Amino acid sequence: MDLIGVVDTMFARYDMGGEALDALEKCPGYGTKFTTIRRTVPGFKDLAVAAKRLIELDRCVIVVALGMPGKEAVDKVCAHEASTGIMTAQLMTNTPILEVFVHEDEAEDPAVLAEVFKNRSRDHAVNAYLMIYEPEKLTARAGQGVRQGFANAGPLNT
Amino acid sequence: MDLIGVVDTMFARYDMGGEALDALEKCPGYGTKFTTIRRTVPGFKDLAVAAKRLIELDRCVIVVALGMPGKEAVDKVCAHEASTGIMTAQLMTNTPILEVFVHEDEAEDPAVLAEVFKNRSRDHAVNAYLMIYEPEKLTARAGQGVRQGFANAGPLNT
Amino acid sequence: MDLIGVVDTMFARYDMGGEALDALEKCPGYGTKFTTIRRTVPGFKDLAVAAKRLIELDRCVIVVALGMPGKEAVDKVCAHEASTGIMTAQLMTNTPILEVFVHEDEAEDPAVLAEVFKNRSRDHAVNAYLMIYEPEKLTARAGQGVRQGFANAGPLNT
Amino acid sequence: MDLIGVVDTMFARYDMGGEALDALEKCPGYGTKFTTIRRTVPGFKDLAVAAKRLIELDRCVIVVALGMPGKEAVDKVCAHEASTGIMTAQLMTNTPILEVFVHEDEAEDPAVLAEVFKNRSRDHAVNAYLMIYEPEKLTARAGQGVRQGFANAGPLNT
Amino acid sequence: MDLIGVVDTMFARYDMGGEALDALEKCPGYGTKFTTIRRTVPGFKDLAVAAKRLIELDRCVIVVALGMPGKEAVDKVCAHEASTGIMTAQLMTNTPILEVFVHEDEAEDPAVLAEVFKNRSRDHAVNAYLMIYEPEKLTARAGQGVRQGFANAGPLNT
């Protein structure tokens, strides 16, 4: 049975990993074609090596890496470093790692922000499923302005 | 028969991959010397590993990677990360990956922006063809201020 | 017996490595399951290769890398370079290196800053212990807004 | 016979590669100790992998990589990505690649800019020759404030 | 006999490499335990691969890499690229490369700047010696706010 990895952080202020796992459990073939494995690390700069270990040591076919960059300027730099690490981990393993970051300042209203956390975590978990098992569904939506967390932008209105 | 890869995204608001594929189909030798393969990923940060997989697993001789960075400041940082990944993927595989990015804010008028999407996607697809099969045509235009998407700048006017 | 590595710098203005070593000595299994090893380098840009050597030459199972970025703009760029190196070292070794940076300008009051130095160094040393020996304790705190050095942010208040 | 590689772009608005080739042809040993090989790519972000291929596939002993970053902010980011790639290509091949970038906004007067293009391309081509065949000439000028393209700065005037 | 490498540039406006070599010649064991080797490159972006070659081809046990970033904004970006390359070279070789950069704008008075050039080059050359032969001396100064080039900052004053 395939293994899909989920890595999240103690630093984030929402249970992103829990949402991703729940969304994956509702995908076709959960428990028969694939199951999930979770790891939690302190902060988002620890995600890359954790995801790489899930791929190389636990043989995950894809990983969803979830984190929350904070509001400060230094957090933005750290987010860049975390992203660069996730990028490199993918190239070293030839395996996709879907980065799911929700910036703490994407919305002021905590209720709105919670929705973004929930939707983006779930949407990208489903994307991970689709990339492995139904990639033609992504191609069918190429160039359609698809978003995760907020409403879709849609194709250019010409 | 050689394989030329095309990777694009659901995030972009124009069917960049479709244009690239169409331009390649009009190049000499399509269907005899080379054919094409397409992959679609969620966003442009997913392009690098997808392109690398096309090279290493599907044996593409060159890849065209198309994406649209959004308008926000964070999108610019993500574009930088995506580009860095595409750069590294090329070096790891010793194979060119032509990055075709159209920034959502390159033009305000959607009709103009659509033209940029179309022309840049097609021009770089042809560049990919030329790099493999007619590299001397690129050398003939060295230092000529050649652009893709907008008009050529031309050589320095001294 | 496992080995946990601690690397710190002469540049920092607080004995961060000493705090980390002391916190590790108070963790369960110190001296029976694991012991510690320390290296000191000139500045934080020297941490990455020192940590990698601790992993590859001394066989550390995890490393805590501690440093203090200074107040100037150039120090922020250097911190970014140091972090990128630590990130790469983790990916090359498949081994976590917990980066513990205290920025010299995080607090104006030296007494407050000293507390941040002390707490963050100790908290991350304990995190290193937990990641190896009690990882389920990190998962139990996923998405809880856990911080090191200052008070926890807590989960989103919706 | 050794091979010195020259890579340039269609994007640049001056025939930088032509100047570099011409300068190399005037160096001692051209045609007996070494000869040259040229590749042209679309833009400067394509230089790194082209240079790496010249080293690994064509066995060049050194490469001169020439490009022109444009005037816009996004061009500066692209220049940084191109440079990072050239840096990595050198480290992967253990072979120097001399990066010769002339920024389109280094001079307003096209005649002045053309001089910079010409001089910097030629000076660095000669540097490439010296690094391989007469390295002691570089050591003799260590710390002397040597420049390419504009006049030398000279050593610090104390 | 061990070999300690020194790489410097023609671009710098002070003979940094000469100072480093002189300081190393005054360290215990010069000529018996270790000797030195010097390479000069055009600019600081050429330091990384030169240092890596000193390690891999000449078998240096450590390298001191000295350069001077200029005053312009573009010089700061280049310095970042040069540093990133030096960082990567260390990780690829598992060998420390001490980066010694003096920014041309660290002091306005040329006499003061010359002192910084001299002191920082010499101090880091001694650090290289200590890291290999007397590492316990660095640990003894951990967290003491040690600087090179200007006066020490000292430990936090609480």
Side-chain angles (χ1 to χ4, degrees):
Chain A
M1 191 150 53
D2 289 343
L3 206 49
I4 295 184
V6 171
V7 207
D8 65 351
T9 68
M10 300 197 298
F11 184 94
R13 303 183 61 198
Y14 187 94
D15 184 8
M16 302 175 78
E19 293 286 0
L21 289 168
D22 190 64
L24 284 165
E25 288 174 20
K26 301 203 161 77
C27 287
Y30 177 75
T32 55
K33 272 193 308 189
F34 73 94
T35 188
T36 53
I37 181 173
R38 181 194 202 162
R39 292 281 183 274
T40 302
V41 293
F44 59 3
K45 294 218 276 194
D46 306 306
L47 289 170
V49 71
K52 185 160 178 278
R53 288 169 62 98
L54 279 175
I55 293 165
E56 294 188 338
L57 306 183
D58 298 287
R59 297 285 149 206
C60 286
V61 292
I62 194 164
V63 173
V64 186
L66 309 108
M68 182 201 78
K71 301 172 181 178
E72 309 301 325
V74 69
D75 296 320
K76 305 304 179 189
V77 178
C78 289
H80 175 53
E81 292 153 3
S83 290
T84 303
I86 290 170
M87 180 66 73
T88 305
Q90 294 180 75
L91 296 174
M92 282 176 159
T93 60
N94 252 4
T95 302
I97 301 170
L98 286 184
E99 177 197 299
V100 188
F101 280 3
V102 175
H103 290 253
E104 197 176 0
D105 54 7
E106 278 191 56
E108 285 202 23
D109 182 344
V112 173
L113 193 58
E115 277 299 295
V116 177
F117 271 116
K118 180 181 172 181
N119 294 340
R120 192 171 295 156
S121 300
R122 301 186 73 91
D123 289 353
H124 268 307
V126 173
N127 277 342
Y129 163 82
L130 292 173
M131 286 177 77
I132 300 299
Y133 299 112
E134 307 185 40
E136 67 285 357
K137 289 211 176 152
L138 283 92
T139 301
R141 300 181 76 191
Q144 295 295 304
V146 177
R147 298 290 180 273
Q148 294 82 27
F150 288 110
N152 288 336
L156 206 61
N157 189 358
T158 47
Chain B
M1 191 151 51
D2 289 343
L3 205 49
I4 295 184
V6 171
V7 207
D8 65 352
T9 68
M10 299 196 300
F11 185 95
R13 303 183 61 196
Y14 187 94
D15 184 8
M16 303 174 78
E19 293 286 359
L21 289 167
D22 189 64
L24 284 165
E25 288 174 20
K26 300 203 162 77
C27 286
Y30 176 75
T32 54
K33 271 194 307 188
F34 73 94
T35 187
T36 53
I37 180 172
R38 181 193 201 162
R39 292 281 183 272
T40 303
V41 293
F44 60 1
K45 294 217 276 192
D46 307 305
L47 289 170
V49 71
K52 185 159 177 278
R53 288 169 61 98
L54 279 175
I55 293 164
E56 295 188 337
L57 307 182
D58 299 286
R59 297 285 150 207
C60 286
V61 292
I62 194 165
V63 173
V64 186
L66 309 108
M68 182 201 77
K71 300 171 183 180
E72 309 300 325
V74 69
D75 296 321
K76 305 305 178 191
V77 178
C78 290
H80 175 51
E81 291 154 3
S83 290
T84 303
I86 290 170
M87 180 66 73
T88 306
Q90 295 180 75
L91 297 174
M92 282 175 158
T93 59
N94 252 5
T95 302
I97 301 170
L98 285 184
E99 177 197 299
V100 188
F101 279 5
V102 175
H103 289 255
E104 197 176 1
D105 54 7
E106 277 190 58
E108 285 200 23
D109 182 345
V112 173
L113 193 57
E115 276 300 296
V116 178
F117 271 116
K118 179 180 172 181
N119 294 340
R120 192 172 297 157
S121 300
R122 300 186 74 92
D123 289 352
H124 269 306
V126 174
N127 277 341
Y129 163 82
L130 292 172
M131 285 176 79
I132 299 299
Y133 299 111
E134 306 185 38
E136 67 286 357
K137 289 211 176 151
L138 282 91
T139 301
R141 301 180 75 193
Q144 296 296 304
V146 177
R147 299 291 180 273
Q148 294 82 27
F150 288 109
N152 289 336
L156 206 61
N157 189 357
T158 46
Chain C
M1 190 150 53
D2 289 343
L3 205 50
I4 295 184
V6 171
V7 207
D8 65 351
T9 68
M10 299 196 299
F11 184 95
R13 303 182 61 197
Y14 187 94
D15 184 8
M16 302 174 78
E19 293 285 0
L21 289 168
D22 189 64
L24 284 165
E25 288 174 21
K26 300 203 162 77
C27 287
Y30 177 75
T32 55
K33 272 193 308 188
F34 72 95
T35 188
T36 53
I37 181 172
R38 181 193 202 162
R39 293 281 183 273
T40 302
V41 293
F44 59 2
K45 295 217 276 192
D46 307 307
L47 288 170
V49 72
K52 184 159 179 276
R53 288 170 62 98
L54 279 175
I55 293 166
E56 294 188 339
L57 306 182
D58 298 286
R59 298 286 149 205
C60 285
V61 292
I62 194 165
V63 173
V64 186
L66 310 108
M68 182 201 78
K71 301 172 183 180
E72 310 301 325
V74 69
D75 296 320
K76 305 305 179 190
V77 177
C78 290
H80 174 52
E81 292 154 2
S83 289
T84 303
I86 290 171
M87 180 66 73
T88 304
Q90 294 180 75
L91 297 174
M92 282 176 159
T93 59
N94 253 5
T95 303
I97 301 169
L98 286 183
E99 176 196 300
V100 188
F101 279 5
V102 175
H103 290 254
E104 197 177 0
D105 54 6
E106 278 190 57
E108 285 202 21
D109 182 343
V112 173
L113 193 58
E115 276 299 296
V116 177
F117 271 116
K118 180 181 173 181
N119 294 340
R120 191 171 296 156
S121 301
R122 301 186 73 92
D123 289 352
H124 269 307
V126 173
N127 278 342
Y129 163 82
L130 293 172
M131 287 177 76
I132 300 299
Y133 299 111
E134 307 185 39
E136 67 285 357
K137 290 211 176 151
L138 283 91
T139 301
R141 301 181 76 192
Q144 296 295 303
V146 176
R147 299 291 180 272
Q148 294 82 27
F150 288 108
N152 289 336
L156 207 61
N157 189 357
T158 47
Chain D
M1 190 150 54
D2 289 343
L3 206 49
I4 295 184
V6 170
V7 207
D8 64 351
T9 68
M10 299 195 300
F11 184 94
R13 303 183 61 196
Y14 188 94
D15 184 8
M16 303 173 79
E19 293 286 359
L21 289 167
D22 189 64
L24 283 165
E25 288 174 20
K26 301 203 161 76
C27 285
Y30 175 75
T32 55
K33 272 194 308 187
F34 73 95
T35 187
T36 54
I37 180 172
R38 181 193 201 162
R39 293 281 182 272
T40 302
V41 292
F44 60 1
K45 294 217 276 193
D46 307 305
L47 289 170
V49 72
K52 185 160 178 277
R53 288 169 62 97
L54 279 175
I55 294 165
E56 294 187 339
L57 306 183
D58 298 287
R59 297 287 148 205
C60 286
V61 292
I62 194 165
V63 173
V64 186
L66 309 107
M68 181 201 78
K71 300 171 182 180
E72 310 300 324
V74 69
D75 296 321
K76 304 304 180 191
V77 178
C78 290
H80 174 51
E81 292 154 3
S83 290
T84 303
I86 290 170
M87 181 66 73
T88 305
Q90 294 179 76
L91 297 174
M92 283 176 158
T93 59
N94 253 4
T95 303
I97 302 171
L98 286 184
E99 176 197 300
V100 188
F101 280 5
V102 175
H103 290 254
E104 198 176 0
D105 53 7
E106 276 190 59
E108 286 202 22
D109 181 344
V112 173
L113 192 57
E115 276 300 296
V116 177
F117 271 116
K118 180 180 173 181
N119 294 340
R120 192 171 295 156
S121 301
R122 300 186 73 92
D123 288 352
H124 269 307
V126 173
N127 277 341
Y129 163 82
L130 292 172
M131 285 176 78
I132 300 299
Y133 300 111
E134 307 185 38
E136 68 285 357
K137 289 211 175 152
L138 283 91
T139 301
R141 301 180 75 192
Q144 295 296 304
V146 177
R147 299 292 180 272
Q148 295 83 26
F150 288 108
N152 289 336
L156 205 62
N157 189 357
T158 46
Chain E
M1 189 150 54
D2 290 342
L3 205 50
I4 294 183
V6 171
V7 207
D8 65 351
T9 68
M10 299 196 299
F11 184 94
R13 303 182 61 197
Y14 188 93
D15 183 8
M16 302 174 78
E19 294 285 359
L21 289 167
D22 189 65
L24 284 165
E25 289 174 20
K26 300 202 162 77
C27 287
Y30 176 75
T32 55
K33 273 194 307 188
F34 74 93
T35 188
T36 54
I37 181 172
R38 180 192 202 163
R39 293 282 182 272
T40 302
V41 293
F44 59 2
K45 295 217 275 194
D46 307 306
L47 288 170
V49 71
K52 186 160 178 276
R53 288 170 62 98
L54 278 175
I55 293 165
E56 294 188 339
L57 306 183
D58 298 287
R59 298 286 150 204
C60 286
V61 292
I62 194 165
V63 173
V64 186
L66 310 108
M68 181 201 79
K71 300 172 183 180
E72 310 301 325
V74 70
D75 296 321
K76 304 305 179 190
V77 177
C78 291
H80 174 52
E81 291 154 3
S83 289
T84 303
I86 290 170
M87 181 66 72
T88 305
Q90 294 179 76
L91 296 175
M92 283 176 158
T93 59
N94 253 5
T95 303
I97 301 169
L98 285 184
E99 176 197 301
V100 188
F101 280 5
V102 174
H103 289 254
E104 197 177 0
D105 54 7
E106 276 189 59
E108 286 202 22
D109 181 343
V112 173
L113 193 58
E115 277 300 296
V116 177
F117 271 117
K118 180 180 173 181
N119 294 340
R120 192 172 295 157
S121 300
R122 300 186 74 91
D123 288 352
H124 269 307
V126 173
N127 277 341
Y129 163 81
L130 292 172
M131 286 177 77
I132 300 299
Y133 299 111
E134 307 185 39
E136 68 285 357
K137 289 211 176 151
L138 283 91
T139 300
R141 301 181 76 192
Q144 295 296 303
V146 177
R147 299 291 180 271
Q148 294 82 27
F150 288 109
N152 289 336
L156 207 61
N157 189 358
T158 47

